[in-house]
Amino acid sequence: MSTLSEFDIISLLNTRSSSPQLIRGIGDDAAVFGNPKDPLKWVITQDLLSEDIHFRLKWISPADLAYKSIAVNLSDLAAMGATPKFVLLSMGIPKTIPDSFIRRFSRAFLKTCHDQEIILIGGDTCDSQNGLWIQVTALGQAPARQILYRHGATPGDLIFISGPLGASSLGLHLLTKKKRSALAKRHHRPPIRTAFAQALAKRGFASAMTDISDGFLFNLETMCGTTLCAAIDVDRLPIDALTQREANRHTIDPLPFALGGGEDYELLFTVPPKKAPAFKRWCHAHHYTAHELGQMSKHSPRRHSPVRLFTASGEELPTKGLVKGYVAR
Ligand code: ADP
Ligand code: MG
């Protein structure tokens, strides 16, 4: 039984090989490649959804599973500021899955492709002895100068999030506790922020971007890397009315879900302070949501986490003990 974490394994595979066509390999939300003479680049990403790790068949409908398998990939393309174009779909299907499930899944998959203006161009299909697994590869395009990377921020940049946090992981938590809740839908049908990401990348307001798949704290730490620190005002974290209501109903504090829970699939990005006033006017004019949460600074090597949490009154909250990252339950 392997004791290596997902991140240990990725670092074992992280190659230093290069190619004139390769602009970004392992380490960002998606890889970027293209002909050096062509200003338009390809952006490619892949996500695997595995039964009982990423979804439970007793909780998710075939239509929602199809939608989510595309949404999680388009979120990584959005995080790069790319326009999605094509997808490939591979499925491992156990004998126990009824035909009606596969028919419904396929219909919903094609409908989501149509709605998102992407085309299914290939994939693979095989039997599975160990549950259903769905793997989607998504390809998009973007002009090289518009592509946003995780590590583009500099000290002083302001930190923004494109929408509410915590709904998906609280929805999952309530499912595991057998509690009926409208938040289950938020877990199964995350937002797809393509339109906002494209517009943001085109206007050149952002300096760095990633998506919230593994949890706000975890993804913010990856944005900080080894050179930056982030100070966050927790009282500004957007927890929407439904999440707050469901949390109150079950006497649960939603803050750890907003900070640590994953799969919100909102965009986390930074904007240099000089561009911030124009960015905020642009959001207002186009009815885009962007919550300002804090600021990047130079990394202080004494701290164990590059992220520091403060209340509006300036009190610092400990990050120690908070579960960071999406934990498959
Ligand atoms: P995300 O959450 O944005 O999908 P991940 O945390 O899953 O990103 O992956 C981080 C980086 O590691 C990405 O660049 C991804 O392509 C790469 N990666 C993950 N698993 C593998 C693997 N088995 N082989 C090569 N690269 C991988
Ligand atoms: Mg990502």
Side-chain angles (χ1 to χ4, degrees):
M1 193 57 112
S2 165
T3 56
L4 296 171
S5 73
E6 178 188 343
F7 305 99
D8 295 332
I9 297 169
I10 295 171
S11 62
L12 287 177
L13 291 162
N14 206 342
T15 163
R16 281 179 221 284
S17 305
S18 66
S19 143
Q21 281 82 33
L22 184 63
I23 297 155
R24 190 71 176 94
I26 292 174
D28 218 301
D29 292 290
V32 181
F33 65 93
N35 183 330
K37 290 192 187 132
D38 188 348
L40 204 57
K41 304 299 174 193
W42 285 103
V43 182
I44 185 165
T45 184
Q46 183 177 77
D47 263 301
L48 174 63
L49 298 188
S50 179
E51 186 181 344
D52 294 337
I53 302 288
H54 299 98
F55 64 90
R56 300 261 170 100
L57 285 175
K58 64 179 176 192
W59 293 336
I60 197 165
S61 70
D64 285 352
L65 183 59
Y67 169 92
K68 190 166 179 178
S69 68
I70 294 176
V72 299
N73 278 278
L74 296 198
S75 180
D76 278 326
L77 293 186
M80 309 296 288
T83 302
K85 295 283 178 190
F86 302 112
V87 281
L88 293 108
L89 166 65
S90 294
M91 306 174 80
I93 306 173
K95 291 267 179 277
T96 47
I97 298 278
D99 292 353
S100 59
F101 184 100
I102 301 168
R103 285 188 212 289
R104 285 193 195 120
F105 177 93
S106 304
R107 251 197 325 269
F109 194 92
L110 292 178
K111 180 181 184 306
T112 308
C113 285
H114 179 264
D115 293 347
Q116 298 300 319
E117 298 176 20
I118 52 177
I119 302 172
L120 175 63
I121 56 165
D124 201 8
T125 308
C126 66
D127 287 338
S128 166
Q129 305 267 30
N130 280 306
L132 175 65
W133 54 265
I134 311 287
Q135 180 175 279
V136 172
T137 302
L139 283 107
Q141 282 188 309
R145 60 188 165 75
Q146 284 180 24
I147 297 176
L148 288 161
Y149 296 92
R150 281 180 184 173
H151 295 136
T154 49
D157 286 1
L158 301 171
I159 301 164
F160 291 86
I161 189 90
S162 62
L165 296 169
S168 174
S169 56
L170 185 55
L172 174 61
H173 175 78
L174 294 175
L175 280 170
T176 63
K177 301 283 175 211
K178 299 192 171 65
K179 307 247 197 275
R180 286 177 73 86
S181 158
L183 289 180
K185 206 66 183 166
R186 301 281 290 280
H187 180 63
H188 291 144
R189 293 188 76 88
I192 300 177
R193 298 288 180 216
T194 301
F196 174 68
Q198 285 171 332
L200 182 71
K202 197 166 170 197
R203 290 301 305 261
F205 287 125
S207 49
M209 186 147 73
T210 191
D211 68 326
I212 307 291
S213 52
D214 298 311
F216 173 77
L217 274 184
F218 183 89
N219 291 116
L220 182 55
E221 283 188 8
T222 64
M223 262 189 137
C224 290
T226 53
T227 58
L228 293 170
C229 255
I232 295 296
D233 179 347
V234 290
D235 293 318
R236 290 188 183 193
L237 286 172
I239 295 172
D240 67 15
L242 177 64
T243 309
Q244 192 62 61
R245 206 165 52 236
E246 288 296 276
N248 292 346
R249 197 156 73 91
H250 297 285
T251 50
I252 292 171
D253 178 6
L255 187 62
F257 289 88
L259 287 167
E263 299 210 290
D264 296 301
Y265 295 105
E266 293 295 348
L267 296 171
L268 176 65
F269 57 97
T270 51
V271 176
K274 261 195 197 154
K275 293 184 179 176
F279 166 68
K280 289 178 191 171
R281 282 196 301 274
W282 175 79
C283 284
H284 187 73
H286 293 87
H287 306 288
Y288 289 134
T289 304
H291 303 271
E292 186 180 334
L293 304 179
Q295 197 165 23
M296 292 292 193
S297 62
K298 251 170 60 188
H299 184 55
S300 142
R302 279 164 292 132
R303 303 206 168 267
H304 72 278
S305 166
V307 179
R308 296 178 69 185
L309 303 174
F310 296 93
T311 63
S313 58
E315 183 201 346
E316 184 163 5
L317 301 181
T319 49
K320 226 174 152 202
L322 274 168
V323 175
K324 273 180 279 176
Y326 173 72
V327 183
R329 276 148 285 200

